[in-house]
Amino acid sequence: MNALTLAEAAALWRGILAHTTHTIEYVPPDTAWGRIAAADICAAHPYPPYRKSPFDGYALCLNGKERSYEVVATIGAGEHYDEPVLPGQAVRLMTGCAVPRSCQAVVMQEAVRRQGKRIELTTIPLPEDNIIPIGEECLSGEVLLSQGTYLTSGAVSVAVAMGNTAIPVYKDVRVLLVTSGRELVMAGQERQYGQIYNSNAYLFQQLLRNEGIRSAAFCHVSDAPERLASEIERVRELAADADLILSTGGVSVGLYDTMPQLFQHLGARELYRRIAMRPGSASYGGLIERKGGNAVPVLGLSGNPSAAFNAFHLLAVPVLRQLRGEKRGDFPVVTCRLNGNLTKENPVDRFVQGRLSFAQGQPVFTPNHVVTSSALLGLKAANALALRPKHSPPLTNGAEVPVLLLRRI
């Protein structure tokens, strides 16, 4: 099977998952973060719902050019004053307070001189000065969060501000994460010569959490052919209710790369075995059909940390977001100034890990020192991928380079 380009693979998955059905459920606000809105969330009332003060001060019933006002009441946040305020009278109020209906302006407390129950203005305000109007941010019925929105903490706070106690979200995706390789041991276990710690297990569980997946089933399998049968049954049991199977390792062309065999025994139909990109070319795509339910994507990524990191963001994240019902599946592209050199030849599309930062207000991309498939230490700071199309010429320090920012904005 020929290698697919990344664009071809993305289009393939979009087509396959276009008819995925999503179940809607309602959750309390404290569990809505990271979920996907299943319906438009609209403003039940204008915001703010009353005229309010932007700071501590005095609400005035204006009296021409008079500078002296009588203070008739004091109110704090959450309180309101409903008595008539006559011309030449004032109400002391705190930040966020509702401005009495008969007051036309607010002055800062620092802008007055007070003696007893009277204040003297240093300047004469105009009508509506320093009053935040009703509906400044939105009017009743406006769509605040559209269907398919990833619910950040700020988005949840907006939903709550509109009085929502139950947030409509899509039922979350259940992920099975499988790592592969007899050379891997978990943190805390004794490591023998020739073995390494299973860093991918921790890397991808956290990357899944970053996508809003709070928990994922996990198992590790060896790549020993004699254990294949028992490991198939173990994975089959864990995959019974999975909506997505994600694996790292065992998908290349080595003698012990048995993950494609395992996927085949699970009923997966192979879609591709290779993507024309570096690092991350060793990538398996498959699909398990289920009667009466959605098909289950199977994404087998390289076991090399750098390659797997790239493939997760470029291949797995768009699939995961579409499965979850999110409307936006891509990452933003930022044109950056290159801090370093990118001179490696590109027979296929290359995605160079590094860090996007800012210098004098301009975006700068600093590539990792080591950019091989098996590189590990650069992951500690990587937040972006430089896009290097195949056969593109070398880039030197200071050149412009398009960069994929691996963050939501």
Side-chain angles (χ1 to χ4, degrees), residues 292-316:
N294 294 324
V296 179
V298 180
L299 298 172
L301 312 181
S302 169
N304 284 322
S306 180
F309 179 88
N310 281 19
F312 176 83
H313 289 94
L314 298 170
L315 288 166

Side-chain angles (χ1 to χ4, degrees), residues 34-54:
R35 304 291 293 273
I36 308 301
D40 290 346
I41 297 176
C42 300
H45 52 72
Y47 193 84
Y50 51 82
R51 299 160 70 235
K52 68 177 184 178
S53 173

Side-chain angles (χ1 to χ4, degrees), residues 6 25 187 201 209 212 256 316 329 338 394:
L6 186 61
E25 59 186 12
R209 291 190 190 102
Y256 299 109
L338 180 61

Side-chain angles (χ1 to χ4, degrees), residues 2 63 80 131 133 185 196 205 235 288 303 314 392:
N2 293 330
N63 189 24
H80 55 91
I131 294 179
V185 296
I196 57 175
Q205 289 185 73
V235 175
I288 300 175
L314 298 170
S392 55

Side-chain angles (χ1 to χ4, degrees), residues 312-329:
F312 176 83
H313 289 94
L314 298 170
L315 288 166
V317 165
V319 169
L320 183 60
R321 290 181 179 179
Q322 191 171 357
L323 279 175
R324 301 187 78 215
E326 186 173 354
K327 294 298 184 185
R328 180 176 179 179

